[in-house]
Amino acid sequence: MVSAIQKEQREQEIIEMIARIKEPFKMASRAYKGVDSVVTVEGRSIGNGHFAVIAGPCSVESHSQIIDIAKSIDGSGAKFLRGGAFKPRTSPYDFQGLQGEGLELLRAAKKATGLPVVTEIMSVKQLEDYADIIDVIQIGARNMQNFDLLKAAGKINKPVLLKRGMSATIEEFLMASEYILAGGNQQVILCERGIRTFEKYTRNTLDLSAVPVIKRFSHLPVVIDPSHATGDARYVESMSLAAVAAGADGLMIEVHNNPEKAVSDGKQSLTPEAFRALMVKVEQIAEITGKMM
Amino acid sequence: MVSAIQKEQREQEIIEMIARIKEPFKMASRAYKGVDSVVTVEGRSIGNGHFAVIAGPCSVESHSQIIDIAKSIDGSGAKFLRGGAFKPRTSPYDFQGLQGEGLELLRAAKKATGLPVVTEIMSVKQLEDYADIIDVIQIGARNMQNFDLLKAAGKINKPVLLKRGMSATIEEFLMASEYILAGGNQQVILCERGIRTFEKYTRNTLDLSAVPVIKRFSHLPVVIDPSHATGDARYVESMSLAAVAAGADGLMIEVHNNPEKAVSDGKQSLTPEAFRALMVKVEQIAEITGKMM
Amino acid sequence: MVSAIQKEQREQEIIEMIARIKEPFKMASRAYKGVDSVVTVEGRSIGNGHFAVIAGPCSVESHSQIIDIAKSIDGSGAKFLRGGAFKPRTSPYDFQGLQGEGLELLRAAKKATGLPVVTEIMSVKQLEDYADIIDVIQIGARNMQNFDLLKAAGKINKPVLLKRGMSATIEEFLMASEYILAGGNQQVILCERGIRTFEKYTRNTLDLSAVPVIKRFSHLPVVIDPSHATGDARYVESMSLAAVAAGADGLMIEVHNNPEKAVSDGKQSLTPEAFRALMVKVEQIAEITGKMM
Amino acid sequence: MVSAIQKEQREQEIIEMIARIKEPFKMASRAYKGVDSVVTVEGRSIGNGHFAVIAGPCSVESHSQIIDIAKSIDGSGAKFLRGGAFKPRTSPYDFQGLQGEGLELLRAAKKATGLPVVTEIMSVKQLEDYADIIDVIQIGARNMQNFDLLKAAGKINKPVLLKRGMSATIEEFLMASEYILAGGNQQVILCERGIRTFEKYTRNTLDLSAVPVIKRFSHLPVVIDPSHATGDARYVESMSLAAVAAGADGLMIEVHNNPEKAVSDGKQSLTPEAFRALMVKVEQIAEITGKMM
């Protein structure tokens, strides 16, 4: 016995299902490109067997800070330097980053170490003004569906590291990457950084199952950010090793030479020593999973 | 017996608590302004006892569509016309709105009815180009933490209707409004439009408790959008009446003269007839709660 | 172009869809029973146009406490007395209720006022021991999928007030009621009491859209508990009025004669005076929605 | 400038904070017991350096099914056999398990292989009737806060595997274990099996950060169930390896000799061959993390 209401429900579900199938990710999908994509910057690769660690402070604070950290993580095996010059802050009264000056300091750190720089851009204007002096453009979680910015990022010739929105489904995440790919830019790296749930002991809930799910549906490289996901340095090692074992293509880890005095997110930053120790273990597991570091 | 770990936990919690108290909303708070704010556009007010209904289609589609709908909702007692010209779409391959042409059609509808126009702007550039010909600038849920756009909206002399992000806490929502207020623009209307949860029978979960919570902490007017929250026209009447009873200052409702043929969100749109019937009931409850329509 | 993976996805979705349609609620559905159900206890009805307010303290604490509160709410128009004798507590070290003694005190309060008693039962054994002396058996949110208890509740001849689990979908909620109905007990009242989300300003998020959704799919009466949902007496009036306007069949409200000294949940309890004032407004809105109180 | 409302907020927060610190887990905490707990059944250990894999079908279906699977997983290195005799089902019309007969078949499988049996018990009555013939009592996610059952489980002399509720915080999870410990039973194994979020590509979201968080606060062993968490066999290997790398003490994995014909949850079951291949990789990573298998 199937009732009238059940029939109506069924019809509705079929319509919704067809709608969903008709308009998913195209260029981001495995159906479009069978081989894993690899993004390469100055000889350093992420994806298709290449594993990369991106490390550095939450915010660029000073010349000595960023140079010290850059040298240290370089020595420990990081492939890229991260550091925020433009900071998306919940409050307008909080530190908004060193802006252009921060970018200059990142360039100095790159000069001192050779590490290409990953840094966040928050608007189309910043992209126009600064894309030339950044190696990998980061689009943050809060801007994952800033479609104007995504379209602009599709028109540049620079790799883009796109972070998953705090409450974005994986489907929406891949659709956001589709905006960049459809614009013509094929150098996209996806970054899972924790989703918003009811759990309170961690800042967000790291969704590591995003790794095999994305690997199934897409050819794009996937990087995990355990620092923002957990919000607590004590959980970063465990989640980093889990990410490698899960099959991620890279890690994005906050490192600070003086976490207690960091202007932002010190609580989640590893010391250079802890980062060095972590890298040894990361390498062991990456080897088992067949990744090159 | 309090253990070492518990002590550490406690210390951490105290630090976090102080951090939270030190940096909340300032200009959005009741402590800053005791009297309820009212936003007035061409003699039509929202807030501080004035109740307003904003109605219209999801997308502007054609001249006859928007004129017909505008006349109809005007006759039913709506104070503002809504209609999307720039559409934030999950997929880059979906209809992105009539853009500038859509704004022209909205102006024509305003000319025909006198209804001021509420429409979404998705970027700083659109704000610069079009703010002059829009009566109330809408900033959508996906852009609630597009801080660049918020800052720009703080510099204009037009009311801003700010929608709550899909997974934004009320605190973050008020902090986003703070960006606009801190920039100098005091004409801010808050709009709750459903948050993301695990429930599947509705598109989002309408958080009506946001009404008394915001009323407690802030002086800003609060409007409810039951159409996007539920995603289903069958639930719009019930949630509209609940919103009025809860103490909201207004409603934002999708109305389409031909929901089945709507280019977007037809499923959640009321017919003009259903909207007219709803308005009669809205008025009855608004009267009980002491609001002027 | 539909890819192989998309085809696989589609097939899977069709299979899941059919599975979903094949096994939903049967006896709880509108298809099974077109007319709204009404539950009547000693001449007091909930459902099918009859509106009822259930009020009382979180925990039964003493003879004078429960008698005082019962008399007060009776005078304000409540139809049922609530009060916990068996308390489900997160910690084993917290007050677990007065148990059997609490039930005796509830009987005394009923004798003094005539108010039928609604109280929670946490196990099959308690049901066997005490069902005779309780008027409406409450099954709490934590036990919503305690299938053993649901089956036992299906075998008794007493009304059951079933609370929605903190993270239960409406479908699961209706399926839980189906366990009771399928056992032979048709006297089921559903109670929405807030779901778990990321929002922190309220204890849970009251999902008022559950009212029109349940009304669409089921004939069972729906009651709203704004006290547990918000966890804060300051939000109870707003959410109570919203619930009535949304079309609920009743309210379940915590009232305490001395909220600051309550052994549990004092923060969310109304004083008898606040409750009296609320009832006046509830009645006004119930009248508009065509409900009899 | 701190306003009156902010002061009130602060006071409230301090009160809530103290309440939280005053009543957390005691016997489950590291402060109570510094050394990691180990649970040993017939010489097979979980915890404190001992890693164990629990494998088997969702439901016990027949003699040949359970014997075949038991022999196969035994040969691959599993330490325990799982299999459901009593099944908690959302619908009362679904297969509820073979009940007592299922337990007999599990005993037969144990006799054939020597594998101790882990199986779910859904009520106090089942616990009384069957605890003697089960090696490890499982309490399922839906019963995590069935306090009556937890108290009864605290009185028996059998290990208990307690699953995290679908929307339970880690704090509530540890408090639920506290009920068992406080009753006198120290043999508790915690099992993370995915929490409920908005993500739709996986059935639940596996919260692997629960591993380092629980390790920090508690001495109890932690096991991960990637089968229920993801609901899809394609994601089980990735999440299993991640769990080992994260520091879990064990895995609980569904294996079926004919997944397509399984009466329940076939979609998430590994074939015996896939399970064998997985175990080789699990062992490699367990070795790196210093665990004995």
Side-chain angles (χ1 to χ4, degrees), chain B:
Chain B
M1 182 208 70
V2 175
S3 71
I5 279 188
Q6 285 163 0
K7 264 189 203 145
E8 180 199 354
Q9 241 184 307
R10 170 156 55 180
E11 281 164 24
Q12 218 175 288
E13 281 175 310
I14 289 176
I15 289 163
E16 285 168 10
M17 184 191 69
I18 289 169
R20 249 181 299 146
I21 290 171
K22 260 177 57 195
E23 55 176 12
F25 26 99
K26 291 188 174 67
M27 298 180 71
S29 77
R30 283 230 170 263
Y32 181 83
K33 186 174 173 224
V35 186
D36 275 12
S37 284
V38 57
V39 174
T40 303
V41 184
E42 301 177 13
R44 293 149 192 261
S45 297
I46 306 185
N48 197 23
H50 299 272
F51 191 90
V53 177
I54 303 160
C58 180
S59 299
V60 180
E61 297 170 20
S62 71
H63 187 269
S64 66
Q65 176 237 22
I66 195 70
I67 300 285
D68 280 5
I69 296 174
K71 285 183 177 167
S72 164
I73 61 160
D74 184 39
S76 302
K79 276 192 193 169
F80 294 87
L81 173 67
R82 63 146 291 156
F86 304 99
K87 301 299 303 170
R89 301 306 295 269
T90 302
S91 167
Y93 310 117
D94 282 351
F95 174 60
Q96 310 273 317
L98 290 182
Q99 318 274 327
E101 189 197 334
L103 293 182
E104 290 306 320
L105 296 177
L106 285 167
R107 275 158 71 96
K110 183 185 179 185
K111 207 171 164 191
T113 58
L115 293 171
V117 162
V118 182
T119 198
E120 181 167 356
I121 274 298
M122 290 169 61
S123 68
V124 173
K125 179 138 196 348
Q126 288 171 5
L127 194 67
E128 289 165 357
D129 291 350
Y130 302 115
D132 282 352
I133 60 167
I134 300 170
D135 301 304
V136 178
I137 307 291
Q138 179 179 317
I139 295 182
R142 290 173 183 80
N143 278 319
M144 192 202 84
Q145 290 191 319
N146 180 339
F147 297 117
D148 228 57
L149 185 55
L150 296 177
K151 283 176 184 170
K155 297 295 177 198
I156 60 169
N157 184 24
K158 287 270 176 170
V160 176
L161 185 142
L162 178 65
K163 290 198 146 190
R164 181 179 179 185
M166 251 174 292
S167 67
T169 62
I170 295 172
E171 184 169 303
E172 290 167 338
F173 188 22
L174 287 170
M175 288 311 290
S177 77
E178 189 78 28
Y179 265 91
I180 303 170
L181 297 168
N185 186 351
Q186 307 305 309
Q187 303 175 77
V188 176
I189 302 160
L190 301 172
C191 180
E192 154 69 28
R193 40 77 71 214
I195 57 173
R196 193 158 266 190
T197 71
F198 57 82
E199 175 55 44
K200 293 173 185 174
Y201 276 177
T202 47
R203 186 194 287 168
N204 296 284
T205 296
L206 181 61
D207 180 12
L208 273 181
S209 46
V211 175
V213 172
I214 291 174
K215 290 284 170 202
R216 177 174 164 225
F217 288 111
S218 178
H219 53 85
L220 296 172
V222 185
V223 159
I224 298 294
D225 176 347
S227 308
H228 281 89
T230 62
D232 192 324
R234 284 169 291 207
Y235 308 139
V236 167
E237 177 177 307
S238 168
M239 288 302 95
S240 295
L241 301 180
V244 186
D249 300 296
L251 292 167
M252 188 160 191
I253 294 176
E254 294 206 350
V255 177
H256 199 282
N257 49 1
N258 195 351
E260 289 179 23
K261 299 242 166 112
V263 299
S264 58
D265 283 343
K267 197 186 155 204
Q268 73 195 36
S269 295
L270 296 187
T271 60
E273 295 69 38
F275 178 70
R276 187 183 310 273
L278 170 62
M279 287 296 280
V280 174
K281 295 183 186 175
V282 163
E283 209 159 335
Q284 287 180 305
I285 296 183
E287 208 184 337
I288 288 178
T289 65
K291 294 283 200 318
M292 288 162 283
M293 281 194 66

Side-chain angles (χ1 to χ4, degrees), chain A residues 74-133:
Chain A
D74 183 39
S76 301
K79 275 192 194 170
F80 294 86
L81 174 66
R82 62 147 290 155
F86 303 99
K87 301 299 302 172
R89 301 305 295 268
T90 302
S91 167
Y93 311 118
D94 281 351
F95 175 60
Q96 309 272 318
L98 291 181
Q99 317 275 327
E101 190 197 332
L103 293 183
E104 289 308 320
L105 296 178
L106 285 167
R107 274 160 70 98
K110 182 185 180 184
K111 208 173 164 189
T113 58
L115 292 171
V117 162
V118 182
T119 198
E120 181 167 358
I121 274 297
M122 290 169 60
S123 68
V124 173
K125 177 138 197 351
Q126 288 171 7
L127 194 68
E128 289 165 357
D129 291 350
Y130 301 115
D132 282 352
I133 61 168

